[in-house]
Amino acid sequence: MLTLVRSRVRTAALALSAVVALAVGATATTATTGAAAAPAPAPAAAKQGPASVAYVEVNNNSMLNVGKYTLAGGGGNVFDVAVIFAANINYDTGTKTAYLHFNENVQRVLDNAATQIRPLQQKGIKVLLSVLGNHQGAGFANFPSQQAASAFAKRLSDAVATYGLDGIDFDDEYAQYGTNGTGQPNASSFVHLMTALRANMPNKIISLYNIGPAASRLSYGGVDVSSKFDYAWNPYYGSWQVPGISLPKSKLSPAAVEIGRTSQTTTADLARRTVSEAYGVFLTYNLDGSNRSADVSAFTRQLYGSDAVYTP
């Protein structure tokens, strides 16, 4: 039996840095890189097999690490999606509204998109912004009205446009619903949020880290937003768990590994099962700046029939 591992570094979720935010009701911050859309990616070398995803804790590591791994067999990038971990949904007790917050490390990545994000996109790697609760009572599942949910969706889509990102990842952890007088999760909030966000950015990626109250509240008033997600994945590292969402296998990652902590044997087993059961995504977390080619090769051999090569 596989051990469930949840060892996410929570510093990204702590509001200890200066608040640099895109507040609900405020105009989105203009990045030093401007609001221009990301350049068209260079054609990627052919790669057959599931898409590989890498979360990066930007409090400690560089997003550029994602682009340092290629397949020895000439199949191009190991990783197809890079996730900036993490922005936060915070709560303003004065206005009683949720707002989008970037700690200093996330803000640095976004402000330096030309050197931290564009190089990945130019390799054909999609870059998403993960959004996480921050112990303040605000979450994706307790907006008090459809208007409030839509306002937060606007802040998210504004951030994607401002910084030239490829989409948003939802992670409903650490919200501490009820803190600061906020409401408990309700049935309508995440449906309203997802509906508005998909309308705002019909051609961008929206992914679901399948955990928390929002993940189990995908239908309301006859509307089911499951199909509006591009991907959903298992949140428990070192395990196999099919996300309980109505998406085709090609958009799901039942496997999840933490690079450097999930054993190479377990990683290989999960990758082998991903292929044998015809799932289309393989999730990894906490890619750092070390040469992790042995850990990465443990899954690329099974997914793509090739070792991974690390280029500093």
Side-chain angles (χ1 to χ4, degrees), residues 3-231:
T3 301
L4 301 185
V5 179
R6 291 287 297 142
S7 60
R8 287 198 152 196
V9 178
R10 299 191 183 187
T11 50
L14 299 178
L16 299 179
S17 59
V19 173
V20 185
L22 292 173
V24 168
T27 302
T29 304
T30 300
T32 56
T33 53
K47 183 177 80 172
Q48 301 297 319
S52 290
V53 180
Y55 277 84
V56 178
E57 290 266 10
V58 296
N59 280 353
N60 307 305
N61 300 299
S62 169
M63 290 300 296
L64 297 178
N65 294 330
V66 181
K68 294 179 179 179
Y69 292 87
T70 55
L71 295 174
N77 303 313
V78 166
F79 296 104
D80 303 279
V81 179
V83 186
I84 301 168
F85 189 77
N88 297 108
I89 177 171
N90 279 11
Y91 189 69
D92 186 321
T93 56
T95 62
K96 299 187 185 306
T97 55
Y99 66 94
L100 183 61
H101 165 75
F102 305 139
N103 74 19
E104 60 185 1
N105 298 304
V106 172
Q107 188 70 61
R108 186 180 301 114
V109 171
L110 297 174
D111 285 344
N112 292 283
T115 58
Q116 298 299 307
I117 295 172
R118 301 292 173 261
L120 299 179
Q121 292 173 324
Q122 289 162 1
K123 291 175 183 282
I125 299 169
K126 302 295 186 182
V127 180
L128 312 184
L129 177 67
S130 185
V131 186
L132 180 73
N134 203 9
H135 311 279
Q136 298 183 11
F140 312 127
N142 69 342
F143 291 105
S145 66
Q146 182 174 358
Q147 181 181 18
S150 296
F152 191 74
K154 181 66 163 56
R155 300 283 71 78
L156 294 175
S157 58
D158 282 350
V160 168
T162 297
Y163 299 107
L165 301 171
D166 295 296
I168 292 292
D169 174 67
F170 286 110
D171 184 348
D172 191 14
E173 299 180 276
Y174 313 128
Q176 289 186 220
Y177 289 101
T179 300
N180 290 318
T182 57
Q184 292 300 314
N186 61 61
S188 63
S189 285
F190 199 39
V191 172
H192 291 322
L193 177 61
M194 269 299 300
T195 299
L197 184 61
R198 180 50 81 197
N200 292 349
M201 42 184 236
N203 300 315
K204 296 292 186 177
I205 295 171
I206 306 176
S207 59
L208 178 66
Y209 193 78
N210 190 46
I211 198 169
S216 61
R217 291 167 169 81
L218 302 179
S219 180
Y220 175 76
V223 176
D224 190 315
V225 295
S226 298
S227 63
K228 297 185 184 297
F229 290 97
D230 294 279
Y231 302 112

